[in-house]
Amino acid sequence: MSLEALLPSAIDGLMLGFVYGLAALGLTLIFGVMKVINLSHGPIIALGMFAVFILFSSFGVNPYLGVVAAALVGLLLGIAIYFVAVDRVIDATELTTLLATFSVNLMIIGVATVIFTTSPRSIDIDLGALRAGNVTILGTHGVAVAVAVLVAAALYGFLFRTRTGKSIRAVANNRAAAELMGIDSRRMLALAFGIGTALAMTSGALLATLFSFTILSGGTYELKSFVIVVLGGLGNPTGALVGGLVIGFLEGVLTVFLPVAWVPVVEYVIFVAVLLLRPAGLLGARA
Amino acid sequence: MRDLRAPFLPALLVFIAAVAAIPIVSNNPSLREELFLVLMLVTLASSINIIMGYTGYVSFGHIVFFGIGGYIAFWLMQTFNVHFLLAAIASAIPAALIAALIGIPILRLRGAYFALATVGINEAMKSFMTNFEPFGGAIGMFFSFSIYLQYGGAREAAFLAYYTMAAIALATVATSYVIRRSKFGLSLMAIREDQDVAMLVGIDPARAKVMAYVISAFFPALAGATFFFKNGIIEPGPAFDLLRSIESLVMVVLGGIGTVAGPIVGAALYEWLRGFLITNPTFANFQLAIAGLLLLLTVLFVTAGLVGSLRNRFPRLRAYIQ
Amino acid sequence: MILDVEGVTVRFGGLVACDAATLSVDQGQILGLIGPNGAGKTTLLNAINGVYRPLAGRVEFRGEDITGLRPFQVARRGIARAHQVVRPLSDLSVIANVTVGACFGRENLGLGAARRVAQEVIASLGLADKSETPAGKLNVAQKKRLELARALAARPMLLLADEVLAGLNPQEVAEMLTVFRTLREQGVAVIMIEHLMHAVMNVCDRVVVLDYGKKIAEGTPQQVSSDPKVIEAYLGDPKVAAKFLEEEGA
Amino acid sequence: MRGIRFFGLTLALVGLVASACGGTTTPGATTSAAPSQTTVTKDLIIGFTASQTGAQNVTSKRQTDGIQLWVDDVTKVGGIKLKDGTVLMPKVKFYDDESKTDRVQALYTKLINDDKVDFLLSPYSSGLVKAAAVVTEQNGRLMITAGGADDVTMEQGFKGVYQVYAPGSKYLVGAIDLMLKLDPTIKKVAIVNEKDSFSASVVAAANPYAKSKGLDVVVAEGYDTGTTDFNPFINKIQAASPDAIIGGGHFEDGTTFAKQLFEKRVNARFVALLVAPPEPTFKDIGDAAQFITDRYVAKYNSQPSYQSSGGYAAGLVLQKALEDAGSTDPAKIQAALDKIDLMLFYGRVKFSLDAKTHGKQVAHDMVYVQWQKGSDGKLATQIVWPSDAATAPAQLRK
């Protein structure tokens, strides 16, 4: 055990937590609006990584422009996924929607594996670093945090300040009532799925600027998103952001006291414990 | 009972046993390997069907019991040189106990929460095993080859594993059938449809659910013990493979959720399809994508699965196909 | 008395849904439970069969204190329940639905015996030709009958019937009332929540009136219907209420 | 450019090393068939599985390429000529094992019983090799393992499994010797390795060895296969400020680990990582890349790698055994394999004959390369250990 590692580990973890939170935000938004757990979340995160990678390596597009492009692609992709796989079964049991989104997972992984193989890729960006004592903050990590904060803020602005955003929240609260008020709930559901997907792709795109990845890398972040979303309360966007920070911070700090490999055990135990003791999450789910 | 007009169960068991005997009679080891896998998947799918199809609880991380059974049995065989059959049973009992212990709290959760909790438990178990050195940690355990000597050699051990897996599959299917036709099964289906109503007519849902969960954990544990005995190697990844877990759900849905024959049909079909796609040069690369497409089509348009749709289309068949 | 409810109080947060309610019913007796919407009638039934645990008070069934037992324990002692909002087990056939009722109740029948009981009950309620239909595919009236059939199949000693007549046409109502009379002849006790006043007048031996969770009147249907307190509770203005009751009773 | 100085000091070990050693066997060099005999040409079907999908897919592909390359080379010179005049034309038969042990077992059973292949090579990665070994042993067949360096596999009393890779236990022990020879004052060492069969067996030997040499192991951590974020480990390392870091695993994680060590400016004087650094794609971490030895590229017309060399070498070992045996009779081939003592481009190959560890590689030693700045100011890999094969003396950061 080395307390000297505490500060740098906590900072590293917390910064990653912002990006985790962004991914979890996408998952929780979809669940909150339509009670669907999106099992294609992981591959979509991976697609975000590859969107940036292709734009960067084949067309020389700045990775951060690539992040924007990934978000736009994500929006359209999400809407497409909604109409192809989710719309028809939106009122069916959770098993049905789980399997429907899982089938999308298989298709994305299947096709993308053929195109990209499972070879690891990485995007090399050097934005320098901030160093003080044994704390090193890499420029790429700093920018990722900033982008994550911006995106989350923009989402909140959208959900709470715009007419469309309010409609989405109305549909989330009570679909039948929203329809009586003249809201086209199907359009809102599709849009929500699109935004959720865009968030996942954005977080994937940011992760691609930090670490190397393969088309299968999304799985890890998908599981992490589950943990975060449950921690913050399924369907609660603020909970997802806070949960992301908590998990990031824990991942950083726990490594100081435990062998690093034990950290996931602790994470999953917390995950199950929260489900059992506080199924609404630490922050409580939105009614 | 009067409504057992069609000798469905004996017919089904004889059919499975007959198919299982083919590689033995024709002495075809590679068919034996394929069928070993199919029988294992039948066991997994039928077990999941008990908790998911009959009771309505989507146990996404059900593979955890397969892994637990495999690990405990493997450890017993390797460390204490316990006979395989004994080790298999000795591993299924703690697996069932664990199911009871975790079942009591998590079966209170409903819908997506339950599904997520089972995923969490599986992942927790996997990462725990990855660090648990007595069971070999991340590398897992590997048989000393001499272990197989007490069964007459590695080849004979493979046969023993095959017979055992066939027996487990038959037992699972028989259990699944008996449950479906029993009062206990009826209580499970009532819980699936409406837990509150079930409670109001006199069913103790907590008890019935835990029972179903324990039964559905028992057989996968046996299957895990057998599978890893034959493999001679166990690692956390293959033991707690979430993808395999989800694939078993897919098989249930493909064949027909809540029916006895559905999981069998689904497992055989899924495995056959995968075998076909993998060895077919045109489709090999798109294997996963095609599986996904098929699943989506099933989920969207053939909700009841193959067996379920048959039963719906031809009500007369209901007496003959369960 | 087969059932004695004494001073049962149920509270949801600050709202007292049931305030020291007291009633009793005997074998072969049909007790009407009436009152305006939100008077706590359904809550009281829920307190009797264990869905809610009363904050205070006592429920005694056949001399046994059953206060705070779980619903399935109450059901096994011979109390059955038919819901206001029908809750069929949609994917199961009609016969399976009713067999469920017969299986797990007081007599704890085997599957075969339960099925025979179910067949009888189904026939007596005119659902025989729908026996193999999935319950979800029945129409509303049929679902109502199914709901009652499931409760009756348990061969209860006490039936808690929550607005089983609502939404039925006059002929269907008449058929249902016959069923209740038969039950009475068989010695079954019934507590029925009902808004159809003429049905209450017609079939109930006694009536208990709840308002804001409190019992405000009890007696024969005639006594209760002329009680000004009751009329006021229903409509505020006794004159309008009297007129209303006359019309509906006609 | 600061990175270059750092990586100039990164030591790496690698299996594929210079043909500086004598006695090299190459495909074209064998002409042992007597000219008078009539030649019968037969196909020699070589079966194995490849991980075309799943976790091992990249490295497995390299091994398959290596095997294929050997087959092409042999075909080019007209096959393997046996003493009795038979000419064997090798052909490969392989399936996708999805990197799963159960697929491996089903497919090896199929290869043996349905496809009736003449000879078996192994899949890639220690875990899959074990699974395949169980099946080949069950069927009483021979298998040369191209990609499995784990020690435990070879200590199970197998009869027909032969290991080409040096067993894992050897991989980092030499690095510790080298390090202490360069600077006996080194005291604190951090060991961070991948948690897979191979790397674990490396560390299982290296850790006690380090302690026996009086070193203080200040960090001993394992990371999961597929780890991309090493910062938790690096923070721990930094807090413990070791003189040396050893460990790693395979290519991808090793590269990432090295890159992140550099980003965080870890001040170790000696870094030895498994497998990764000699790879040409090591360039991902900076300018250090373009200096991989041109020689391999020219000679084999393919990017060399540890894994493809393993595949190629497994082919060569099989070829030598067939030539020595002079027939395709399994018993004779097995006898020939037992006797083999071969110097390949790859290193020396000799198998253990002890009953318990039968078939384990006993002769192959690891070679260590270091990125060094040449007189022209550019970086190049130099072999620095063992000393008789060294192309340059090892350098240590001052």
PDB file of all heavy atoms in Angstrom, chain D residues 240-269:
ATOM      1  N   ALA D 240       6.282   3.667  -5.597  1.00  0.00           N
ATOM      2  CA  ALA D 240       7.281   2.763  -5.023  1.00  0.00           C
ATOM      3  C   ALA D 240       8.683   3.045  -5.553  1.00  0.00           C
ATOM      4  O   ALA D 240       9.647   2.470  -5.058  1.00  0.00           O
ATOM      5  CB  ALA D 240       6.898   1.315  -5.327  1.00  0.00           C
ATOM      6  N   SER D 241       8.795   3.894  -6.546  1.00  0.00           N
ATOM      7  CA  SER D 241      10.037   4.261  -7.240  1.00  0.00           C
ATOM      8  C   SER D 241      11.074   3.140  -7.354  1.00  0.00           C
ATOM      9  O   SER D 241      12.115   3.175  -6.717  1.00  0.00           O
ATOM     10  CB  SER D 241      10.659   5.506  -6.595  1.00  0.00           C
ATOM     11  OG  SER D 241      10.847   5.294  -5.220  1.00  0.00           O
ATOM     12  N   PRO D 242      10.746   2.131  -8.150  1.00  0.00           N
ATOM     13  CA  PRO D 242      11.694   1.034  -8.329  1.00  0.00           C
ATOM     14  C   PRO D 242      12.818   1.415  -9.292  1.00  0.00           C
ATOM     15  O   PRO D 242      12.689   2.364 -10.062  1.00  0.00           O
ATOM     16  CB  PRO D 242      10.829  -0.063  -8.947  1.00  0.00           C
ATOM     17  CG  PRO D 242       9.774   0.686  -9.680  1.00  0.00           C
ATOM     18  CD  PRO D 242       9.542   1.977  -8.951  1.00  0.00           C
ATOM     19  N   ASP D 243      13.941   0.662  -9.224  1.00  0.00           N
ATOM     20  CA  ASP D 243      15.034   0.871 -10.169  1.00  0.00           C
ATOM     21  C   ASP D 243      14.725   0.200 -11.500  1.00  0.00           C
ATOM     22  O   ASP D 243      15.216   0.618 -12.540  1.00  0.00           O
ATOM     23  CB  ASP D 243      16.331   0.270  -9.610  1.00  0.00           C
ATOM     24  CG  ASP D 243      16.662   0.836  -8.239  1.00  0.00           C
ATOM     25  OD1 ASP D 243      16.650   2.063  -8.096  1.00  0.00           O
ATOM     26  OD2 ASP D 243      16.898   0.026  -7.315  1.00  0.00           O
ATOM     27  N   ALA D 244      13.945  -0.847 -11.436  1.00  0.00           N
ATOM     28  CA  ALA D 244      13.684  -1.604 -12.661  1.00  0.00           C
ATOM     29  C   ALA D 244      12.227  -2.055 -12.720  1.00  0.00           C
ATOM     30  O   ALA D 244      11.584  -2.224 -11.683  1.00  0.00           O
ATOM     31  CB  ALA D 244      14.597  -2.822 -12.722  1.00  0.00           C
ATOM     32  N   ILE D 245      11.733  -2.186 -13.937  1.00  0.00           N
ATOM     33  CA  ILE D 245      10.377  -2.692 -14.140  1.00  0.00           C
ATOM     34  C   ILE D 245      10.476  -3.885 -15.081  1.00  0.00           C
ATOM     35  O   ILE D 245      11.058  -3.759 -16.172  1.00  0.00           O
ATOM     36  CB  ILE D 245       9.467  -1.621 -14.760  1.00  0.00           C
ATOM     37  CG1 ILE D 245       9.396  -0.386 -13.856  1.00  0.00           C
ATOM     38  CG2 ILE D 245       8.067  -2.177 -15.018  1.00  0.00           C
ATOM     39  CD1 ILE D 245       8.815   0.824 -14.546  1.00  0.00           C
ATOM     40  N   ILE D 246       9.951  -5.015 -14.709  1.00  0.00           N
ATOM     41  CA  ILE D 246       9.904  -6.129 -15.640  1.00  0.00           C
ATOM     42  C   ILE D 246       8.475  -6.667 -15.684  1.00  0.00           C
ATOM     43  O   ILE D 246       7.689  -6.452 -14.769  1.00  0.00           O
ATOM     44  CB  ILE D 246      10.896  -7.268 -15.280  1.00  0.00           C
ATOM     45  CG1 ILE D 246      10.541  -7.879 -13.932  1.00  0.00           C
ATOM     46  CG2 ILE D 246      12.318  -6.743 -15.274  1.00  0.00           C
ATOM     47  CD1 ILE D 246      11.422  -9.064 -13.592  1.00  0.00           C
ATOM     48  N   GLY D 247       8.156  -7.339 -16.774  1.00  0.00           N
ATOM     49  CA  GLY D 247       6.827  -7.912 -16.891  1.00  0.00           C
ATOM     50  C   GLY D 247       6.285  -7.784 -18.304  1.00  0.00           C
ATOM     51  O   GLY D 247       6.969  -8.070 -19.278  1.00  0.00           O
ATOM     52  N   GLY D 248       5.019  -7.355 -18.404  1.00  0.00           N
ATOM     53  CA  GLY D 248       4.371  -7.276 -19.704  1.00  0.00           C
ATOM     54  C   GLY D 248       3.634  -8.562 -19.991  1.00  0.00           C
ATOM     55  O   GLY D 248       3.359  -9.360 -19.083  1.00  0.00           O
ATOM     56  N   GLY D 249       3.286  -8.762 -21.239  1.00  0.00           N
ATOM     57  CA  GLY D 249       2.518  -9.947 -21.587  1.00  0.00           C
ATOM     58  C   GLY D 249       2.656 -10.212 -23.067  1.00  0.00           C
ATOM     59  O   GLY D 249       3.587 -10.847 -23.519  1.00  0.00           O
ATOM     60  N   HIS D 250       1.728  -9.682 -23.826  1.00  0.00           N
ATOM     61  CA  HIS D 250       1.801  -9.854 -25.264  1.00  0.00           C
ATOM     62  C   HIS D 250       2.016  -8.518 -25.933  1.00  0.00           C
ATOM     63  O   HIS D 250       2.302  -7.526 -25.272  1.00  0.00           O
ATOM     64  CB  HIS D 250       0.555 -10.570 -25.769  1.00  0.00           C
ATOM     65  CG  HIS D 250       0.529 -12.012 -25.361  1.00  0.00           C
ATOM     66  ND1 HIS D 250      -0.097 -12.449 -24.220  1.00  0.00           N
ATOM     67  CD2 HIS D 250       1.099 -13.100 -25.919  1.00  0.00           C
ATOM     68  CE1 HIS D 250       0.068 -13.749 -24.105  1.00  0.00           C
ATOM     69  NE2 HIS D 250       0.791 -14.176 -25.115  1.00  0.00           N
ATOM     70  N   PHE D 251       1.790  -8.492 -27.222  1.00  0.00           N
ATOM     71  CA  PHE D 251       2.174  -7.322 -27.974  1.00  0.00           C
ATOM     72  C   PHE D 251       1.409  -6.064 -27.583  1.00  0.00           C
ATOM     73  O   PHE D 251       1.984  -5.030 -27.219  1.00  0.00           O
ATOM     74  CB  PHE D 251       2.002  -7.586 -29.470  1.00  0.00           C
ATOM     75  CG  PHE D 251       2.108  -6.326 -30.267  1.00  0.00           C
ATOM     76  CD1 PHE D 251       3.295  -5.621 -30.275  1.00  0.00           C
ATOM     77  CD2 PHE D 251       1.028  -5.821 -30.968  1.00  0.00           C
ATOM     78  CE1 PHE D 251       3.406  -4.444 -30.978  1.00  0.00           C
ATOM     79  CE2 PHE D 251       1.131  -4.654 -31.664  1.00  0.00           C
ATOM     80  CZ  PHE D 251       2.320  -3.962 -31.676  1.00  0.00           C
ATOM     81  N   GLU D 252       0.078  -6.178 -27.626  1.00  0.00           N
ATOM     82  CA  GLU D 252      -0.726  -4.970 -27.526  1.00  0.00           C
ATOM     83  C   GLU D 252      -0.611  -4.311 -26.161  1.00  0.00           C
ATOM     84  O   GLU D 252      -0.366  -3.112 -26.032  1.00  0.00           O
ATOM     85  CB  GLU D 252      -2.194  -5.325 -27.816  1.00  0.00           C
ATOM     86  CG  GLU D 252      -3.041  -4.155 -28.142  1.00  0.00           C
ATOM     87  CD  GLU D 252      -2.419  -3.258 -29.200  1.00  0.00           C
ATOM     88  OE1 GLU D 252      -1.892  -3.778 -30.210  1.00  0.00           O
ATOM     89  OE2 GLU D 252      -2.429  -2.052 -28.996  1.00  0.00           O
ATOM     90  N   ASP D 253      -0.758  -5.108 -25.135  1.00  0.00           N
ATOM     91  CA  ASP D 253      -0.694  -4.556 -23.790  1.00  0.00           C
ATOM     92  C   ASP D 253       0.702  -4.054 -23.486  1.00  0.00           C
ATOM     93  O   ASP D 253       0.872  -3.014 -22.850  1.00  0.00           O
ATOM     94  CB  ASP D 253      -1.114  -5.623 -22.783  1.00  0.00           C
ATOM     95  CG  ASP D 253      -0.440  -6.944 -23.041  1.00  0.00           C
ATOM     96  OD1 ASP D 253      -0.687  -7.514 -24.116  1.00  0.00           O
ATOM     97  OD2 ASP D 253       0.354  -7.395 -22.206  1.00  0.00           O
ATOM     98  N   GLY D 254       1.712  -4.771 -23.962  1.00  0.00           N
ATOM     99  CA  GLY D 254       3.085  -4.339 -23.713  1.00  0.00           C
ATOM    100  C   GLY D 254       3.349  -2.974 -24.325  1.00  0.00           C
ATOM    101  O   GLY D 254       3.958  -2.096 -23.702  1.00  0.00           O
ATOM    102  N   THR D 255       2.885  -2.782 -25.547  1.00  0.00           N
ATOM    103  CA  THR D 255       3.081  -1.509 -26.231  1.00  0.00           C
ATOM    104  C   THR D 255       2.403  -0.381 -25.462  1.00  0.00           C
ATOM    105  O   THR D 255       2.990   0.675 -25.220  1.00  0.00           O
ATOM    106  CB  THR D 255       2.452  -1.581 -27.637  1.00  0.00           C
ATOM    107  OG1 THR D 255       2.918  -2.764 -28.259  1.00  0.00           O
ATOM    108  CG2 THR D 255       2.846  -0.386 -28.458  1.00  0.00           C
ATOM    109  N   THR D 256       1.162  -0.639 -25.081  1.00  0.00           N
ATOM    110  CA  THR D 256       0.408   0.383 -24.364  1.00  0.00           C
ATOM    111  C   THR D 256       1.066   0.702 -23.024  1.00  0.00           C
ATOM    112  O   THR D 256       1.189   1.860 -22.636  1.00  0.00           O
ATOM    113  CB  THR D 256      -1.029  -0.108 -24.131  1.00  0.00           C
ATOM    114  OG1 THR D 256      -1.532  -0.588 -25.364  1.00  0.00           O
ATOM    115  CG2 THR D 256      -1.903   1.003 -23.625  1.00  0.00           C
ATOM    116  N   PHE D 257       1.470  -0.335 -22.356  1.00  0.00           N
ATOM    117  CA  PHE D 257       2.119  -0.178 -21.059  1.00  0.00           C
ATOM    118  C   PHE D 257       3.355   0.713 -21.215  1.00  0.00           C
ATOM    119  O   PHE D 257       3.544   1.691 -20.478  1.00  0.00           O
ATOM    120  CB  PHE D 257       2.496  -1.566 -20.525  1.00  0.00           C
ATOM    121  CG  PHE D 257       3.020  -1.585 -19.120  1.00  0.00           C
ATOM    122  CD1 PHE D 257       2.693  -0.578 -18.206  1.00  0.00           C
ATOM    123  CD2 PHE D 257       3.823  -2.635 -18.684  1.00  0.00           C
ATOM    124  CE1 PHE D 257       3.172  -0.618 -16.896  1.00  0.00           C
ATOM    125  CE2 PHE D 257       4.296  -2.682 -17.386  1.00  0.00           C
ATOM    126  CZ  PHE D 257       3.983  -1.679 -16.493  1.00  0.00           C
ATOM    127  N   ALA D 258       4.179   0.400 -22.206  1.00  0.00           N
ATOM    128  CA  ALA D 258       5.399   1.167 -22.438  1.00  0.00           C
ATOM    129  C   ALA D 258       5.064   2.628 -22.728  1.00  0.00           C
ATOM    130  O   ALA D 258       5.692   3.549 -22.200  1.00  0.00           O
ATOM    131  CB  ALA D 258       6.182   0.550 -23.592  1.00  0.00           C
ATOM    132  N   LYS D 259       4.047   2.809 -23.571  1.00  0.00           N
ATOM    133  CA  LYS D 259       3.670   4.168 -23.947  1.00  0.00           C
ATOM    134  C   LYS D 259       3.232   4.973 -22.724  1.00  0.00           C
ATOM    135  O   LYS D 259       3.624   6.119 -22.523  1.00  0.00           O
ATOM    136  CB  LYS D 259       2.525   4.086 -24.959  1.00  0.00           C
ATOM    137  CG  LYS D 259       1.990   5.431 -25.403  1.00  0.00           C
ATOM    138  CD  LYS D 259       0.788   5.225 -26.317  1.00  0.00           C
ATOM    139  CE  LYS D 259       0.170   6.550 -26.689  1.00  0.00           C
ATOM    140  NZ  LYS D 259      -1.108   6.392 -27.367  1.00  0.00           N
ATOM    141  N   GLN D 260       2.422   4.332 -21.892  1.00  0.00           N
ATOM    142  CA  GLN D 260       1.910   5.064 -20.737  1.00  0.00           C
ATOM    143  C   GLN D 260       2.981   5.270 -19.669  1.00  0.00           C
ATOM    144  O   GLN D 260       2.966   6.270 -18.958  1.00  0.00           O
ATOM    145  CB  GLN D 260       0.680   4.353 -20.190  1.00  0.00           C
ATOM    146  CG  GLN D 260      -0.484   4.454 -21.176  1.00  0.00           C
ATOM    147  CD  GLN D 260      -1.733   3.724 -20.724  1.00  0.00           C
ATOM    148  OE1 GLN D 260      -1.782   3.130 -19.660  1.00  0.00           O
ATOM    149  NE2 GLN D 260      -2.764   3.737 -21.554  1.00  0.00           N
ATOM    150  N   LEU D 261       3.931   4.319 -19.571  1.00  0.00           N
ATOM    151  CA  LEU D 261       5.069   4.526 -18.675  1.00  0.00           C
ATOM    152  C   LEU D 261       5.813   5.791 -19.089  1.00  0.00           C
ATOM    153  O   LEU D 261       6.216   6.609 -18.268  1.00  0.00           O
ATOM    154  CB  LEU D 261       6.036   3.336 -18.757  1.00  0.00           C
ATOM    155  CG  LEU D 261       5.724   2.111 -17.915  1.00  0.00           C
ATOM    156  CD1 LEU D 261       6.677   0.989 -18.271  1.00  0.00           C
ATOM    157  CD2 LEU D 261       5.834   2.445 -16.433  1.00  0.00           C
ATOM    158  N   PHE D 262       5.980   5.930 -20.401  1.00  0.00           N
ATOM    159  CA  PHE D 262       6.679   7.094 -20.926  1.00  0.00           C
ATOM    160  C   PHE D 262       5.893   8.367 -20.649  1.00  0.00           C
ATOM    161  O   PHE D 262       6.439   9.380 -20.192  1.00  0.00           O
ATOM    162  CB  PHE D 262       6.924   6.913 -22.414  1.00  0.00           C
ATOM    163  CG  PHE D 262       7.266   8.201 -23.115  1.00  0.00           C
ATOM    164  CD1 PHE D 262       8.412   8.894 -22.775  1.00  0.00           C
ATOM    165  CD2 PHE D 262       6.433   8.726 -24.100  1.00  0.00           C
ATOM    166  CE1 PHE D 262       8.731  10.087 -23.391  1.00  0.00           C
ATOM    167  CE2 PHE D 262       6.737   9.912 -24.712  1.00  0.00           C
ATOM    168  CZ  PHE D 262       7.893  10.593 -24.362  1.00  0.00           C
ATOM    169  N   GLU D 263       4.579   8.315 -20.912  1.00  0.00           N
ATOM    170  CA  GLU D 263       3.758   9.511 -20.707  1.00  0.00           C
ATOM    171  C   GLU D 263       3.830  10.015 -19.278  1.00  0.00           C
ATOM    172  O   GLU D 263       3.781  11.202 -19.009  1.00  0.00           O
ATOM    173  CB  GLU D 263       2.292   9.210 -21.056  1.00  0.00           C
ATOM    174  CG  GLU D 263       2.022   9.157 -22.534  1.00  0.00           C
ATOM    175  CD  GLU D 263       0.601   8.685 -22.836  1.00  0.00           C
ATOM    176  OE1 GLU D 263      -0.077   8.142 -21.951  1.00  0.00           O
ATOM    177  OE2 GLU D 263       0.183   8.853 -23.998  1.00  0.00           O
ATOM    178  N   LYS D 264       3.945   9.074 -18.367  1.00  0.00           N
ATOM    179  CA  LYS D 264       3.976   9.470 -16.952  1.00  0.00           C
ATOM    180  C   LYS D 264       5.398   9.663 -16.452  1.00  0.00           C
ATOM    181  O   LYS D 264       5.606   9.889 -15.261  1.00  0.00           O
ATOM    182  CB  LYS D 264       3.243   8.420 -16.118  1.00  0.00           C
ATOM    183  CG  LYS D 264       1.737   8.496 -16.293  1.00  0.00           C
ATOM    184  CD  LYS D 264       1.035   8.662 -14.980  1.00  0.00           C
ATOM    185  CE  LYS D 264      -0.399   9.084 -15.190  1.00  0.00           C
ATOM    186  NZ  LYS D 264      -1.167   9.114 -13.954  1.00  0.00           N
ATOM    187  N   ARG D 265       6.370   9.539 -17.370  1.00  0.00           N
ATOM    188  CA  ARG D 265       7.768   9.790 -17.020  1.00  0.00           C
ATOM    189  C   ARG D 265       8.226   8.961 -15.816  1.00  0.00           C
ATOM    190  O   ARG D 265       8.687   9.494 -14.806  1.00  0.00           O
ATOM    191  CB  ARG D 265       7.980  11.273 -16.685  1.00  0.00           C
ATOM    192  CG  ARG D 265       7.590  12.233 -17.780  1.00  0.00           C
ATOM    193  CD  ARG D 265       8.600  12.179 -18.915  1.00  0.00           C
ATOM    194  NE  ARG D 265       8.314  13.228 -19.880  1.00  0.00           N
ATOM    195  CZ  ARG D 265       7.472  13.069 -20.906  1.00  0.00           C
ATOM    196  NH1 ARG D 265       6.865  11.911 -21.088  1.00  0.00           N
ATOM    197  NH2 ARG D 265       7.267  14.049 -21.737  1.00  0.00           N
ATOM    198  N   VAL D 266       8.038   7.690 -15.914  1.00  0.00           N
ATOM    199  CA  VAL D 266       8.480   6.827 -14.830  1.00  0.00           C
ATOM    200  C   VAL D 266       9.997   6.695 -14.880  1.00  0.00           C
ATOM    201  O   VAL D 266      10.587   6.447 -15.919  1.00  0.00           O
ATOM    202  CB  VAL D 266       7.820   5.437 -14.946  1.00  0.00           C
ATOM    203  CG1 VAL D 266       8.349   4.503 -13.874  1.00  0.00           C
ATOM    204  CG2 VAL D 266       6.316   5.586 -14.809  1.00  0.00           C
ATOM    205  N   ASN D 267      10.628   6.875 -13.748  1.00  0.00           N
ATOM    206  CA  ASN D 267      12.083   6.955 -13.698  1.00  0.00           C
ATOM    207  C   ASN D 267      12.761   5.635 -13.384  1.00  0.00           C
ATOM    208  O   ASN D 267      13.538   5.551 -12.454  1.00  0.00           O
ATOM    209  CB  ASN D 267      12.495   7.966 -12.622  1.00  0.00           C
ATOM    210  CG  ASN D 267      12.497   9.363 -13.188  1.00  0.00           C
ATOM    211  OD1 ASN D 267      12.950   9.563 -14.321  1.00  0.00           O
ATOM    212  ND2 ASN D 267      11.977  10.304 -12.429  1.00  0.00           N
ATOM    213  N   ALA D 268      12.470   4.616 -14.130  1.00  0.00           N
ATOM    214  CA  ALA D 268      13.180   3.364 -13.879  1.00  0.00           C
ATOM    215  C   ALA D 268      14.401   3.314 -14.781  1.00  0.00           C
ATOM    216  O   ALA D 268      14.401   3.853 -15.883  1.00  0.00           O
ATOM    217  CB  ALA D 268      12.273   2.183 -14.150  1.00  0.00           C
ATOM    218  N   ARG D 269      15.446   2.647 -14.318  1.00  0.00           N
ATOM    219  CA  ARG D 269      16.662   2.615 -15.124  1.00  0.00           C
ATOM    220  C   ARG D 269      16.666   1.431 -16.078  1.00  0.00           C
ATOM    221  O   ARG D 269      17.475   1.371 -16.995  1.00  0.00           O
ATOM    222  CB  ARG D 269      17.877   2.552 -14.198  1.00  0.00           C
ATOM    223  CG  ARG D 269      18.005   3.839 -13.384  1.00  0.00           C
ATOM    224  CD  ARG D 269      18.875   3.648 -12.190  1.00  0.00           C
ATOM    225  NE  ARG D 269      20.250   3.344 -12.602  1.00  0.00           N
ATOM    226  CZ  ARG D 269      21.129   2.728 -11.839  1.00  0.00           C
ATOM    227  NH1 ARG D 269      20.778   2.330 -10.634  1.00  0.00           N
ATOM    228  NH2 ARG D 269      22.333   2.486 -12.274  1.00  0.00           N
TER     229      ARG D 269
END
